[in-house]
Every structure is written in structure tokens, then in C-alpha cells.
Amino acid sequence: MSNLVHQSGAYSDVPIEDRGELVLPGGRLGEIAANGRPVGTPERIAAYLLTEYLERLGVEVIFGLCGHTLVGLLDAISKSKIRYVTARHEQVAAHMAEGYARATGKPGVLITHLGPGLTNAITGIANAALDSIPLVVIAGDVPSYYFGRHPHQEFNMHLDGGQFEMCRPFCKRVYRVDRADDLPRCIERAFHLAVSGRPGPVLVDVPMDHFSSNLFFDAFSKEPPFVAKPCLEPAMAQRIVEALVEAKNPVLYGGGGVTSALVPEAAALFTELAELLEMPVAHTLMGKGCMPDGHPLLAGQTGFWGTPVANSLCLEADYILAIGTRLAEANSSSWDSRYTFNIPPTKLIHIDIDAMEIGRNYPTFLGAISDSTLALEQLVKAARELKQRPKREGDLRRRIEESNARFKGHFTEFYTSDAFPLRPERILADLRAVLPEDGYVVTDVGWNKNGVAQQFPFKHVGSFITPSGMATMGFGAAAVLGIKLARPERAAVALIGDGGFCAANPSVIATAMEAKIPAIWLVMDNSAFGVIAGLEQAKYDTTFGTKFLRDGEPYHVDYAAIARAHGANGIDIKEASELKPAIEAALASELPTLIRIPMVNVPTPTPGHWNINDIYRAGE
């Protein structure tokens, strides 16, 4: 019997007595127990079986933070081939798992302790949910036989052992493992659901005694099924292409469903479709990279922080083909028909993997539920079969080029400005000059997110990583670690404000040192929550509560010294000319590097609209 267990393979180098093996005694040979199993069927401790199962599913890295409910699982992981990366805060661990998933297209795996462990992780889990990032979250919980007695750290105000309820609003599914026998089914379902349909996080809440329970050695025999993704029917593809050929002013609009690592071929097909039908391309924040920057058909991002030509082309369009997008508020100028989308009379053709998104924000002329790659394959096939390419009135490509040149002309001089503190545009220019073309730029929120999306050119699809749906401050500093761990051969740089870096918890530096992850943080330091300070200044002529002050003067933190205290590289920029060499040195270093860049607080241009500006009212 021991050979049967040994041949399962995950712990071949670990002594049998350390692999949680247990053969139950008793009974006569051939006797069948009440559970339908022969008496004496071998069992093993569930945590070991679970860890072995994760290996078989291809899990290579688990992110997390310890707690007493996880000790049994950690012991099993320590004896496996899976790499465990511990963070100093659960939100950091969640963002790391999310970054790993964004870079690989595989589910990020997060383990977290009960109570404050799960509550700390919730922000990161919710961020993944709103950006359609697959996560499997395994949370420890109180012992199942103590439900409702208020054992240490139990949530039971409305439901005994009820902490899993906290994740219900944003997880695709929440499972509480009430019986140890249910653990294999819940884990298999979690990995299936995380990547099927619209990707997202799934929570499996496990009372700690179940990790130490005995399960039959083959309990984790079922693996997630291969499920064919929904596809656009050829007839519908033909109908869509015919409508776009006849259109006078069509626009192709791309979202995160075109640039996701889950659909690596989608962006190339998207570009080909635009070229075959001679359609201008606009995109959402997460859709940046759907077409290489500089392409003559690429108008740019829409919405509040978009480009004028992208907003105007969408506003004038008679047909818009939108793929892989929720048509969310910031990208749609708060759905105000004066600025970005005027639907109707514009006819919207909307393709998305989530049926709930079709018709949610705009009336839809044609809707289809499909994986973006499979939909684009059918659309491109139909477009290739056209006998004659459509001819558009006017010089569309020249209009895009001239409009974007005029727009960039307002701030081009800042790309080379030697002003100190630095202009944010100079920071972007120096980074672009030395960053490899396939290098990742991971943003937080604030000028870095908005400015990069609007002004930073990308040639490589998927190399722009940003928090869109939740716009979570603290995302960038942690997510860059998961990305760099997943793709160590590529550069990974986080652009983050000083407010965001503090929100992220500077312990990311310690995690990077421990895990030997040579990530780079560019801390854009303006001693403020800059975007909010700008909004308040514009509407109320004050910056109350938005700037970091001591005795009325800007308060600065020596972030570079903090990095050096951790053993990492810490560089404090003293003049503009020092930035580019500092980034080059960071890219060549095997150590994590933090570069603090004093930056002037200036607004990102806002060609679109945000409804908050209609809400603010100054009182007496």
C-alpha cells in the first residue's frame, strides 16, 4: 500500500513518515466499510494531498502570509516543489498573486490566515475581481467544531464561521469547506471557475482542522475539465464585417479582453482587423497595447484621461465594434453623450465573454458572447474574404497623426525639461529611453497611471499593467514583484507616487530581498496625493487633507534610505540628469532598486469628462 502512495510522485524525495501517510487498521480482507471503500484503504493527511494536487495542476508559486490556521498547510508546502513567497502584509501578497496571474495568464494562488488575514487581503482580491484576473484564494478558518462559539478570530455576527461571506460581493464563487471530504471538490471547482468565462477570484474557506484530517490517498483525483470557450458564429462575424464595411465612420474599440495574458493572440488579430477594414482604433485604460503605439490607425485612449482624437472619433462614429470591455465610467466620460460615446444614434456592436456586460451601459445593436481571440479569428477570416477593402472618406490616418501631434505638442517640451523637481513627463521620457521594448511598466494610481496610459508608448502587448476597475492605491509596488517573479527574463518597473508607496506598505522591499526579486520602484514624490489635491484645488481652491505637511511645509520621507536599510539599492535623484543613468544601473542590478524622484505636482491633461466635476459645490 505504501508504494501506491509513493508512486503519486510529489514527495518522492521525502521520507514516507513525513508525507502524511496513514494506513487504517482493522477489518477482514475484502470487507467493505460503510463508505464503500475496502477496509484498510490508505489515507493521508489532507494538506499533503492538497499540495500534491496543486503541483499536478501546474502551480509553481504560492503567495501568502502565515497564521496559526495555515501551519499544517505550510508544512506540506515546505516539502513540495512549489515555491512559497511570504509577504509582510496580506494585501501585498494578494497584489503579488494578481501580478503573477497578469503576467502568466495562469491563476495566481494566495493563502491567507483567517480574520484580519482575510480582511487585509480583501482589497487585493477585489482589485483582481474588477479587472477580471484569475485568483484561487485559500483561507484558513477556525476549527469546524468550534463554529459559533466565538473561538479566536472567528467572524460570527450573522453566521457561524461566516468570514467567507465578506468575499461574496466580488468573488466569482465562495466555498466554505464544511466537511474535509469536500476539500478536493471545492479546490477543483475553484481552479475551474477562476479561468472559465470571465476570469476572476474564487475563495475556498478551509477550517484548519480539515487541513489535518485524513482523506483517501486518491481523493484529489478529479482535475478541472477542459472547457471550450464560447466562439463567435461565422454568420454573425459575416454580418458584423458587412455592417462595418458599409459604415461611414466606424471605430474599433479594444478593452482588457484584447490585451490579457489569457488571450495572447488577440492583439495581433485585433490589429489585422483594423488594417483590413481601415478602421481607427481607440481603447480603454486596460486596452492599452491592443495595437502598437505609433500605428497610423491608433487614436489612443478614450474618456477623461484619453486623447482628443480618440474621443472625437468615437463621438462621431456611426458604428463602434467594442471587444472585451465593460464600457466603464472613466473610459466613457461618465457616459455623458457630449464627450465620448453618443449611443444611440451610434450603433454599438459589443463582443464580450460576460453576458452581463452586453447592454449594461449602452443600448446594443448587435451583441455576442465570445472569447476575444476566437471572435477576432472569425472576424478576420470574414474580412480577409472581402473582394475589396472599404474606402473611407477623408484622410483618416493623417487626421489621427496630426491631432495626436497637436495634443502632444502641449507637453513635448517637458520630455526634455531639466526642471527640478522633475516634470512627470521627463520621468516617462527617460524611462522609455532605457527600458527594453518588452519591459513591464506597472503603475499604481495617480499621475503615473493616467500619464502612462495617455503618453507612454508601448510596442509590446501586455507590458502595461495597471489597476483599472478598483484603481487601488498600493497595487503597483506589490504587483511588480509577482510580475518579475513570473517573467524574470524581462525588466519590470513600478511607477508609483509617494502616497501610493506608503499605502502599499514599504515591506515590499523586504519581500523582494528575501525572494531575490530585482524589481524596480520609481517613487514619484510630490509630497501629496497629487490627483486628489489637483481636483480639490481646481474646485475649492484648497488642498486640505491631500498634502503631506509638517508645520505647514512639505514633509518628505527618505525612501531611498529605507531601501538601503533593507539591503536594497536606494537612489535619491538630486537633478534631472541623474535619472536616466540611475534607471540604467537599476536594470543592470541583481538587487531590488528604489529610485526616489522629487516631482512637481501637475495635472494630467483631461480631454474627456468625469461627472464628479458636476457634483462638487463650494459652500460658504
Side-chain angles (χ1 to χ4, degrees):
M1 286 297 184
S2 62
N3 285 337
L4 282 175
V5 180
H6 186 74
Q7 289 171 359
S8 59
Y11 301 100
S12 58
D13 298 327
V14 179
I16 290 176
E17 59 270 18
D18 293 335
R19 287 188 271 114
E21 181 184 13
L22 173 67
V23 178
L24 294 183
R28 295 185 302 276
L29 186 64
E31 183 177 352
I32 304 299
N35 57 21
R37 292 279 185 146
V39 169
T41 299
E43 296 184 351
R44 290 175 61 199
I45 295 174
Y48 295 87
L49 290 170
L50 168 59
T51 305
E52 184 177 273
Y53 182 66
L54 296 178
E55 279 191 0
R56 294 202 304 273
L57 294 183
V59 174
E60 297 176 328
V61 185
I62 292 175
F63 302 88
L65 196 153
C66 65
H68 70 263
T69 58
L70 297 175
V71 169
L73 179 58
L74 288 171
D75 177 63
I77 295 171
S78 73
K79 297 178 174 66
S80 77
K81 300 174 185 176
I82 298 173
R83 182 175 182 181
Y84 176 65
V85 179
T86 182
R88 305 295 180 90
H89 191 279
E90 289 85 358
Q91 183 180 344
V92 170
H95 288 319
M96 289 172 67
E98 182 183 356
Y100 182 89
R102 288 179 187 243
T104 63
K106 301 193 301 183
V109 180
L110 170 69
I111 63 171
T112 180
H113 180 51
L114 64 75
L118 184 56
T119 58
N120 283 344
I122 275 178
T123 298
I125 301 168
N127 191 82
L130 268 68
D131 282 352
S132 305
I133 308 301
L135 292 185
V136 172
V137 183
I138 301 173
D141 207 340
V142 300
S144 60
Y145 46 81
Y146 283 155
F147 280 176
R149 298 184 66 183
H150 211 167
H152 187 53
Q153 297 179 311
E154 181 192 25
F155 279 87
N156 69 354
M157 185 67 72
H158 302 290
L159 177 70
D160 294 348
Q163 71 170 12
F164 67 99
E165 291 280 350
M166 295 185 293
C167 296
R168 187 185 294 273
F170 46 83
C171 281
K172 291 187 68 176
R173 180 84 176 188
V174 293
Y175 292 98
R176 188 177 71 180
V177 182
D178 288 329
R179 301 182 310 120
D181 289 350
D182 287 336
L183 181 60
R185 176 183 63 85
C186 294
I187 294 293
E188 180 271 323
R189 290 287 82 194
F191 276 89
H192 163 68
L193 290 173
V195 296
S196 63
R198 178 177 173 178
V202 179
L203 171 73
V204 182
D205 187 85
V206 187
M208 64 178 292
D209 54 308
H210 294 339
F211 287 129
S212 298
S213 296
N214 296 327
L215 295 176
F216 290 116
F217 76 96
D218 59 350
F220 285 87
S221 59
K222 183 182 178 183
E223 295 190 359
F226 173 80
V227 179
K229 296 179 180 179
C231 180
L232 186 66
E233 296 178 354
M236 175 62 91
Q238 185 68 37
R239 182 179 178 186
I240 291 172
V241 168
E242 289 174 355
L244 296 175
V245 167
E246 296 299 321
K248 292 183 177 180
N249 300 303
V251 171
L252 183 58
Y253 191 64
V258 177
T259 59
S260 168
L262 289 164
V263 288
E265 300 86 11
L269 291 165
F270 186 87
T271 299
E272 184 177 357
L273 181 64
E275 292 170 344
L276 288 169
L277 299 181
E278 191 62 16
M279 293 175 63
V281 168
H283 59 76
T284 68
L285 173 66
M286 288 189 66
K288 188 174 179 67
C290 61
M291 177 179 274
D293 274 296
H295 193 288
L297 289 174
L298 181 61
Q301 180 176 294
T302 60
F304 187 54
W305 291 292
T307 64
V309 69
N311 282 332
S312 62
L313 285 169
C314 288
L315 196 62
E316 299 164 9
D318 52 352
Y319 283 85
I320 292 176
L321 170 57
I323 302 177
T325 171
R326 296 183 290 125
L327 296 161
E329 182 191 11
N331 300 306
S332 303
S333 291
S334 294
W335 308 292
D336 190 315
S337 61
R338 296 172 295 173
Y339 295 94
T340 299
F341 299 119
N342 187 19
I343 305 171
T346 300
K347 291 182 171 64
L348 174 64
I349 303 170
H350 193 182
I351 300 173
D352 198 86
I353 198 147
D354 187 351
M356 292 181 63
E357 297 303 334
I358 306 299
R360 181 202 291 271
N361 288 323
Y362 288 107
T364 303
F365 173 66
L366 291 175
I369 313 304
S370 178
D371 170 82
S372 59
T373 298
L374 298 179
L376 284 161
E377 285 176 351
Q378 292 297 326
L379 292 166
V380 167
K381 181 180 179 181
R384 287 171 180 167
E385 294 172 355
L386 291 172
K387 295 181 179 179
Q388 186 174 358
R389 291 192 184 186
K391 295 182 180 180
R392 306 297 181 193
E393 294 182 5
D395 194 334
L396 172 65
R397 297 185 178 214
R398 177 176 293 180
R399 176 183 175 183
I400 292 172
E401 180 183 12
E402 292 179 350
S403 178
N404 279 332
R406 283 195 302 273
F407 180 56
K408 292 178 181 178
H410 295 303
F411 40 82
T412 299
E413 63 179 291
F414 301 129
Y415 291 143
T416 56
S417 171
D418 289 328
F420 191 86
L422 276 75
R423 292 281 310 197
E425 299 89 349
R426 172 65 187 266
I427 299 172
L428 298 191
D430 281 9
L431 176 61
R432 181 68 282 174
V434 297
L435 184 71
E437 194 170 274
D438 68 347
Y440 287 101
V441 174
V442 189
T443 76
D444 205 67
V445 295
W447 205 103
N448 50 83
K449 172 177 73 70
N450 307 328
V452 168
Q454 186 183 77
Q455 302 173 30
F456 195 92
F458 288 93
K459 299 289 187 181
H460 197 284
V461 63
S463 55
F464 173 52
I465 307 289
T466 192
S468 178
M470 278 271 287
T472 302
M473 186 159 50
F475 167 84
V480 70
L481 300 185
I483 291 163
K484 182 63 177 176
L485 187 64
R487 297 286 183 240
E489 74 283 1
R490 294 169 61 178
V493 179
L495 281 169
I496 183 167
D498 52 323
F501 191 75
C502 287
N505 189 327
S507 70
V508 292
I509 306 171
T511 298
M513 287 295 295
E514 291 174 340
K516 296 184 178 180
I517 304 173
I520 300 170
W521 301 277
L522 303 187
V523 179
M524 304 164 72
D525 187 354
N526 56 17
S527 296
F529 296 115
V531 169
I532 308 305
L535 289 170
E536 189 176 340
Q537 182 73 56
K539 293 298 179 181
Y540 296 94
D541 197 27
T542 181
T543 56
F544 179 78
T546 63
K547 291 189 174 182
F548 308 144
L549 305 172
R550 177 179 170 85
D551 296 330
E553 296 298 321
Y555 174 68
H556 296 284
V557 174
D558 193 342
Y559 297 105
I562 293 175
R564 292 192 296 271
H566 284 81
N569 296 324
I571 302 171
D572 198 7
I573 299 300
K574 301 295 186 182
E575 58 181 49
S577 62
E578 295 178 353
L579 179 56
K580 189 184 295 184
I583 301 174
E584 289 176 321
L587 290 168
S589 177
E590 295 183 357
L591 282 177
T593 301
L594 184 149
I595 303 174
R596 174 186 170 264
I597 312 168
M599 184 188 84
V600 63
N601 189 24
V602 294
T604 311
T606 54
H609 176 67
W610 192 2
N611 159 261
I612 59 171
N613 290 303
D614 299 331
I615 295 173
Y616 295 138
R617 297 178 62 208
E620 295 294 332

